[in-house]
Amino acid sequence: MSQQFLVSYGTWPSADPIENSISNHISRINCQKGHFRNVTEQSLEAEIQLLEAGQTSMEVDGIEPEDQLEPPANSDEKTKTIYEAREDIIKQITQAHMEAYYALDFVSLLLSKDTPIQAGMTLSPHLKQYIPLGSLATDQIPSAIRTPAHKRDQELVSRGWKLQGLVSSADSLLRSASRLEAEIHNETTYWDQVLEIKNSGWPICRMPGAPHTLCVKYGFSEASPAYRGRDLAPLRRGEDGAVFLDQNDFKPKSIRVRVLQGDSVLATSKAASTYTDVLSIQDRILIARNTIFEEELFFELLRESRLLLSHGVTIIDSVITYKTPLDIIGQNLGKLGSQRIVIDLIAIESETFYPQEDGSANIAEYIALILRILLSHAHRKTLQRRSKPPPPLTDRKIPIPFQALFGPIIAFLMHDSALRSLTAFNHRLTTALQSAGLNLNVSTNPYNNLLTAFQSNSAKRRGRKSIANAFIATMISPLSSSMTIHLPSGVSQKISILTSLYSPTFGTTYSVSSTGEGPTTPDVSVESEPSIFNFLVHLHTETVRLFTVSESLRNSESSLDSGASGWGSIARSGELQKDFPSLGRSKRMKVSLHDGPGGLKIGLRWGWMGGKAGGDGEGSYEWGSGSFNSDAPKKSLRDVITEAGKL
């Protein structure tokens, strides 16, 4: 195969356009000759003459040929020199590159004032992170030609500014002096009032969480935990320097006790404080103290009322209502209860708060006063309990005991109702027996525990505080009263009443006991249920009847009348029996008592045992009180017994 010789024909390489460009020539001229401002016609002609004389360009620049660097002796030194030159060139290029970046960032940040979007595209991320866009701007300032007249104007303006600054400084100093004087006056007024509050007995302390703020403590350290941290109010300074209490949405309140009958208000208690817009700081502190006391009192009343629901207390919409067993106000005083006591917490500004201008409003005011006294006594008991050594630590939470506030008042009303009912019954019974010729001696000892406690403290000549504390402690304790009936036969019957709303009684207890010679009834003790109370009255009535008949028999035994003798008592049935041996028959006599709306009636009925009703030897007679007691003359019990004992 013959060899082929291939020849490629191409165009002649063209000159580099960049190398022959005018910009390249200009840069080369700048490197050789320097800037164009240094090139003149005279310098060029001198350079041409020197070149024609045979001098080199180095000689023209003032550098001798022998001063030039000699070429390196070997290749290693040449290589080292080349690398050093290369590194130097790279450093200079890097520096130039950084300076270009700095210049670009500067220009971009400068333009970001007008074109933030376009300038932000060329701004470096590092600069964006630390410097916001538009923080650098430029402005044109015309160059002022400073003439002597202009200099004089500048001096005058500068002097005027200085004078104006001095006048302004003087005015500022005068205003500062006036403000300082007013501040001193306000501070003096503020601290004088704070000192006056402290001297009045109100404790001053720092506000918790704000140590630079003074506050006054107007509450009670022995209050319940729910109201123990709500008794601090900051003492702020007003514009005139006066102290005012910083209380957000403060409304003075007080409990209101009303006695209602139907929809009509019979009595209303007074407010604990009188609130007006013009009050001194101490009056406002006192009103704040009374308000938190009234709120705690109503809070404790609500807690206690939940335990008194079985005694007729109701709570509806934070209003406590109790129906009294007997009327406590008005014309029906002491009669069957149709009135109720209502307790609520309202603002002092309410117009319905103030009582009527008659004496009937005292009972409501007395109840409110007793409630406040009992809460103060509870605070004192809490202080005494805190003064004692604390109990051992335990994991169980110690319950907060409720305060006996409304319970003693209800117990008093219940005890008074029971005592009135028993007194009225004994009065009717005594009246009926007196009409039968029997005189009874009834002695009443009401509220003997209160009188005993008061007399014992007075006898010991203790201080007022000891007497008051002992009296209040006795008032909280169960109430007791007694009534003793002394019969002509020498037998005495004592009825004791004990009332307590708490354990173990939970109501009223009646105890009956008999002493002396003669037929008696066993001692009993019952609670105040309606049926049990009726049984107690029946037992008391039967006992009095038995004593009455026995006394009549004792008087008739000395009589010569055959009809009054021979009667014997049957204790179990409460009847009398008389035997007639000659006839082989017996008579019985029964005493009955009836207590109705018209009064009490005592009746005697006798007859033959086994005989027919309406036969011979039967009869009856009655004595009564009230409407049963007529104006006609009555026979005595002895005469009736004598008549019944005849054949």
Side-chain angles (χ1 to χ4, degrees):
M1 182 177 182
S2 61
Q3 296 182 355
Q4 295 181 359
F5 180 74
L6 300 176
V7 180
S8 177
Y9 295 96
T11 59
W12 189 262
S14 59
D16 189 2
I18 298 176
E19 183 178 1
N20 296 328
S21 62
I22 184 65
S23 60
N24 188 22
H25 287 291
I26 291 174
S27 61
R28 289 171 60 187
I29 292 172
N30 288 334
C31 292
Q32 293 178 2
K33 301 297 182 180
H35 201 273
F36 279 96
R37 70 167 60 96
N38 298 327
V39 179
T40 60
E41 184 178 356
Q42 291 80 6
S43 62
L44 292 176
E45 290 179 354
E47 185 178 354
I48 293 172
Q49 292 176 2
L50 291 174
L51 291 174
E52 290 178 354
Q55 297 181 0
T56 62
S57 61
M58 298 296 291
E59 294 174 350
V60 173
D61 294 336
I63 302 175
E64 298 295 333
E66 58 270 13
D67 295 336
Q68 299 182 28
L69 295 175
E70 295 182 358
N74 49 33
S75 60
D76 294 337
E77 293 181 358
K78 183 177 180 180
T79 303
K80 182 178 180 181
T81 304
I82 292 173
Y83 277 109
E84 290 178 354
R86 180 177 177 276
E87 291 178 1
D88 185 55
I89 292 172
I90 292 174
K91 289 181 180 180
Q92 293 182 5
I93 292 174
T94 304
Q95 183 178 1
H97 184 266
M98 295 301 297
E99 291 179 355
Y101 265 112
Y102 292 156
L104 180 61
D105 286 343
F106 175 76
V107 175
S108 299
L109 185 62
L110 188 62
L111 295 177
S112 64
K113 179 69 176 176
D114 300 323
T115 57
I117 298 177
Q118 291 81 355
M121 297 173 62
T122 58
L123 200 63
S124 62
H126 180 76
L127 194 63
K128 287 181 180 179
Q129 185 178 359
Y130 293 99
I131 300 178
L133 297 177
S135 59
L136 186 63
T138 60
D139 197 2
Q140 293 182 356
I141 300 176
S143 60
I145 302 175
R146 300 179 62 84
T147 60
H150 183 71
K151 291 181 179 181
R152 288 194 300 270
D153 293 340
Q154 291 292 330
E155 291 177 357
L156 293 175
V157 171
S158 177
R159 188 179 302 171
W161 278 109
K162 290 181 180 180
L163 292 176
Q164 186 176 356
L166 292 174
V167 173
S168 177
S169 300
D171 294 340
S172 179
L173 289 174
L174 291 176
R175 289 194 300 270
S176 299
S178 301
R179 186 170 62 253
L180 181 60
E181 183 180 1
E183 187 71 16
I184 292 174
H185 178 268
N186 293 340
E187 283 291 322
T188 303
T189 304
Y190 174 79
W191 288 108
D192 287 344
Q193 293 187 6
V194 170
L195 185 60
E196 184 180 355
I197 293 172
K198 181 175 178 59
N199 293 334
S200 299
W202 299 103
I204 304 295
C205 60
R206 293 183 178 181
M207 191 72 182
H212 299 289
T213 302
L214 289 179
C215 62
V216 58
K217 181 178 177 63
Y218 55 82
F220 302 88
S221 301
E222 298 79 20
S224 60
Y227 289 87
R228 198 168 294 169
R230 299 171 51 186
D231 55 354
L232 294 177
L235 296 176
R236 306 292 186 185
R237 196 191 74 179
E239 296 181 356
D240 56 349
V243 179
F244 69 92
L245 291 179
D246 188 5
Q247 294 175 305
N248 296 329
D249 300 332
F250 173 74
K251 294 182 179 179
K253 298 179 181 179
S254 178
I255 63 167
R256 178 180 59 177
V257 180
R258 292 176 294 169
V259 179
L260 304 181
Q261 187 170 14
D263 296 333
S264 60
V265 180
L266 301 181
T268 306
S269 63
K270 298 179 181 179
S273 304
T274 303
Y275 183 81
T276 59
D277 295 334
V278 182
L279 289 174
S280 63
I281 182 63
Q282 296 192 29
D283 293 338
R284 294 183 181 275
I285 296 175
L286 184 61
I287 290 176
R289 195 275 306 271
N290 293 341
T291 297
I292 196 172
F293 183 84
E294 297 292 304
E295 290 178 352
E296 181 189 1
L297 175 58
F298 191 71
F299 174 76
E300 294 295 339
L301 285 174
L302 289 177
R303 288 186 58 203
E304 185 188 13
S305 299
R306 295 186 181 96
L307 303 176
L308 301 176
L309 297 179
S310 60
H311 297 283
V313 180
T314 59
I315 305 174
I316 301 176
D317 296 334
S318 298
V319 178
I320 303 173
T321 305
Y322 172 69
K323 185 178 180 181
T324 59
L326 297 178
D327 287 348
I328 57 178
I329 291 179
Q331 299 177 355
N332 297 328
L333 180 64
K335 296 185 179 180
L336 186 62
S338 61
Q339 300 173 357
R340 61 187 187 274
I341 300 174
V342 180
I343 304 175
D344 54 358
L345 181 69
I346 64 171
I348 295 180
E349 293 87 347
S350 178
E351 296 181 357
T352 60
F353 196 98
Y354 300 98
Q356 292 83 359
E357 297 296 334
D358 56 355
S360 63
N362 291 334
I363 184 65
E365 181 64 23
Y366 293 158
I367 294 175
L369 181 60
I370 292 174
L371 292 176
R372 298 184 179 105
I373 292 175
L374 291 178
L375 182 59
S376 299
H377 180 72
H379 286 174
R380 188 174 183 85
K381 288 296 183 181
T382 304
L383 178 60
Q384 294 177 358
R385 186 168 55 252
R386 289 173 54 193
S387 302
K388 297 179 181 179
L393 297 178
T394 178
D395 295 336
R396 293 181 298 177
K397 185 178 180 181
I398 300 177
I400 302 174
F402 69 92
Q403 310 295 345
L405 303 175
F406 198 29
I409 297 177
I410 297 177
F412 177 81
L413 295 177
M414 294 176 61
H415 191 81
D416 183 70
S417 174
L419 186 61
R420 286 175 181 268
S421 300
L422 189 59
T423 303
F425 174 78
N426 284 329
H427 176 71
R428 295 193 300 272
L429 180 63
T430 303
T431 303
L433 292 177
Q434 286 178 353
S435 64
L438 296 175
N439 295 323
L440 300 182
N441 184 13
V442 180
S443 61
T444 305
N445 189 11
Y447 310 104
N448 47 20
N449 61 333
L450 297 179
L451 297 177
T452 302
F454 184 77
Q455 292 173 0
S456 61
N457 283 277
S458 299
K460 294 179 181 179
R461 295 182 180 180
R462 296 181 179 179
R464 293 185 177 180
K465 294 183 179 179
S466 300
I467 295 177
N469 292 333
F471 187 76
I472 294 175
T474 308
M475 186 173 61
I476 297 176
S477 62
L479 298 175
S480 62
S481 299
S482 62
M483 179 177 295
T484 305
I485 302 176
H486 304 280
L487 299 175
S489 60
V491 178
S492 299
Q493 188 176 41
K494 183 179 181 180
I495 304 175
S496 300
I497 306 174
L498 183 66
T499 304
S500 176
L501 301 187
Y502 309 106
S503 178
T505 305
F506 298 105
T508 303
T509 301
Y510 299 84
S511 300
V512 181
S513 60
S514 301
T515 58
E517 298 180 357
T520 60
T521 58
D523 298 343
V524 294
S525 176
V526 295
E527 296 181 355
S528 60
E529 295 294 334
S531 58
I532 298 177
F533 178 71
N534 293 334
F535 168 75
L536 178 65
V537 173
H538 175 71
L539 179 63
H540 171 57
T541 304
E542 293 295 324
T543 303
V544 174
R545 181 190 64 185
L546 185 60
F547 292 164
T548 304
V549 175
S550 298
E551 179 64 20
S552 299
L553 290 176
R554 181 176 298 181
N555 294 333
S556 65
E557 288 177 356
S558 60
S559 176
L560 298 177
D561 194 342
S562 60
S565 61
W567 290 97
S569 175
I570 304 176
R572 292 185 178 180
S573 61
E575 297 179 351
L576 301 175
Q577 180 174 337
K578 184 178 181 179
D579 298 329
F580 295 88
S582 59
L583 300 178
R585 302 177 66 182
S586 300
K587 267 189 177 183
R588 282 194 177 182
M589 182 170 57
K590 184 177 182 180
V591 182
S592 63
L593 283 86
H594 175 72
D595 189 13
L600 188 141
K601 180 172 61 175
I602 301 176
L604 266 71
R605 185 177 180 182
W606 62 90
W608 295 102
M609 293 182 61
K612 297 182 180 180
D616 296 337
E618 294 186 355
S620 62
Y621 198 84
E622 292 181 349
W623 299 270
S625 63
S627 60
F628 293 126
N629 191 8
S630 61
D631 296 334
K634 294 287 184 181
K635 296 181 180 180
S636 65
L637 179 62
R638 181 177 179 179
D639 295 339
V640 174
I641 293 176
T642 301
E643 181 182 352
K646 295 180 180 180
L647 291 174

